Amino acid sequence: MGRRRSAAAAITLVCALAALASPQAMSGAYAAPAPPAPSLSPSAVPPPPVELPPGAGQSGTPGKKSLDDVRIELDALYEKAASATDAYNLADEQYQRLSAEVSTLTQDLVRGQARIDELNKSAGAAARAQYRGGGLPPEAQLVLTDDPGLFLDGVGRFQESQRATHRLIAELTRAQEDLKTYAQDAGTEWAKLEVSRAKKEKAKEEITKQIAAAEKIEAGLEKEDLARLARLQDEAALKAQSAWLGSGALKDINRGASAQGKQAIAFATAQIGKPYVWGAEGPSSYDCSGLTSEAWSAAGRTIPRTSQEQWRQLPRVPVADMRPGDLIIYFEDASHVGMYVGDGTIVHAPRPGRNVTLAGAGTMRILGVVRPDK
């Protein structure tokens, strides 16, 4: 009986791995390297429960949980961290933009004040000249002369002086209004900047909180439990990928990539092995959307920085029509993204503690697909 069960388990494993096998690439398709096959548990017997450290569970109290429960809890914590990371990246992007706008407005204020100072000096010089002339400007004094020639000349000069005075007053008024507008705009932008800064700090605290909770759970596990947990994670990923491929959700797993798509893929796959760091966009580390945005930037196409904005702004395509270079957006809140590279595989920056790697495209909950070069 034992041998029959082992044989059945082996057949099941072979069938599951066959579902991941890549078909012959179509002409012009991008052939991605296959992700490493996960190591499956040699036994179908559920792992024994493990003792978690105090405060590691969601209830905050110690207790025994199965390793599969631990896996699910860790996945949830890292998903929350990913969502907070996207919020941080968006707030940081807004903060950088608003900082630039405030800097420009500050320069406008300085220039506006300098112009007002210059105009005030000109008005003061005219007033002093009038004072020296007994309360009348030189042009007005010429109007009072008995010499007809000087009189006509004085009239012309007086009229020009009047026009110049009106222009000076009008320009001074405009400069003062501009300065007032600049000051109001600067105040508004400063307020927005403070809101963006607060959002950044709140998101940063949330990221730190979720990652710390996950790390606390992992730190409380024995070395053997960590190894078994890794096997469980691989098994869950294999099961999800097999189900996704078997569902027929993707009509053609090796559709050809565009020229820009090939460039983006080349960049992204060249980053394999570099660590995930939240908020990072290279060159030594990346988060998920940092990797995809930089990859498409290297291909000559600027796309939004965050996975949520990539989902919101980029053209969407059906999953069934996906081609290499497209971006797959994951989870209901669009908090994760990977780049499809063909063969049912993505390249992505998974989560803290992991490196940029290849994975099955169906190992996470797919929200949809976007195409940067559509």
Side-chain angles (χ1 to χ4, degrees), residues 33-47:
S39 301
L40 297 184
S41 173
S43 171
V45 178

Side-chain angles (χ1 to χ4, degrees), residues 11-23 238 242 245 253:
I11 290 171
T12 301
L13 173 59
V14 169
C15 291
L17 291 176
L20 287 177
S22 302
L238 177 59
S242 299
L245 288 176
I253 66 172

Side-chain angles (χ1 to χ4, degrees), residues 209-357:
K209 173 184 173 183
Q210 300 300 337
I211 292 177
E215 290 176 342
K216 185 174 183 179
I217 292 176
E218 293 170 328
L221 297 177
E222 299 292 337
K223 186 175 181 181
E224 293 178 357
D225 288 333
L226 285 172
R228 285 162 46 215
L229 179 62
R231 288 197 296 270
L232 280 175
Q233 290 169 335
D234 288 342
E235 288 174 359
L238 177 59
K239 182 179 178 181
Q241 176 74 353
S242 299
W244 181 67
L245 288 176
S247 71
L250 192 60
K251 293 179 182 177
D252 182 354
I253 66 172
N254 275 320
R255 188 175 280 108
S258 67
Q260 279 188 307
K262 290 178 182 178
Q263 292 177 336
I265 292 169
F267 180 94
T269 53
Q271 313 312 311
I272 290 175
K274 294 183 179 180
Y276 175 104
V277 174
W278 63 267
E281 46 191 330
S284 58
S285 59
Y286 296 88
D287 63 18
C288 66
S289 57
L291 177 65
T292 54
S293 60
E294 288 299 302
W296 271 100
S297 177
R301 178 77 58 141
T302 300
I303 65 173
R305 167 64 177 87
T306 70
S307 57
Q308 291 175 344
E309 288 301 296
Q310 289 170 4
W311 173 243
R312 190 176 70 85
Q313 296 186 34
L314 296 178
R316 300 178 186 180
V317 295
V319 174
D321 297 332
M322 183 167 54
R323 73 185 186 194
D326 289 346
L327 304 181
I328 305 180
I329 309 298
Y330 293 96
F331 308 123
E332 288 78 4
D333 61 353
S335 58
H336 190 71
V337 60
M339 179 180 293
Y340 187 62
V341 296
D343 295 333
T345 304
I346 60 168
V347 58
H348 72 145
R351 71 187 197 192
R354 304 284 178 85
N355 297 330
V356 176
T357 188

Side-chain angles (χ1 to χ4, degrees), residues 18-38:
L20 287 177
S22 302
Q24 293 296 325
M26 296 178 63
S27 174
Y30 176 84

Side-chain angles (χ1 to χ4, degrees), residues 187-204:
T188 301
E189 295 306 305
W190 271 113
K192 291 180 182 177
L193 192 64
E194 178 58 25
V195 170
S196 182
R197 186 200 63 77
K199 286 181 179 178
K200 274 182 62 176
E201 290 303 314
K202 183 178 180 180
K204 183 177 180 179

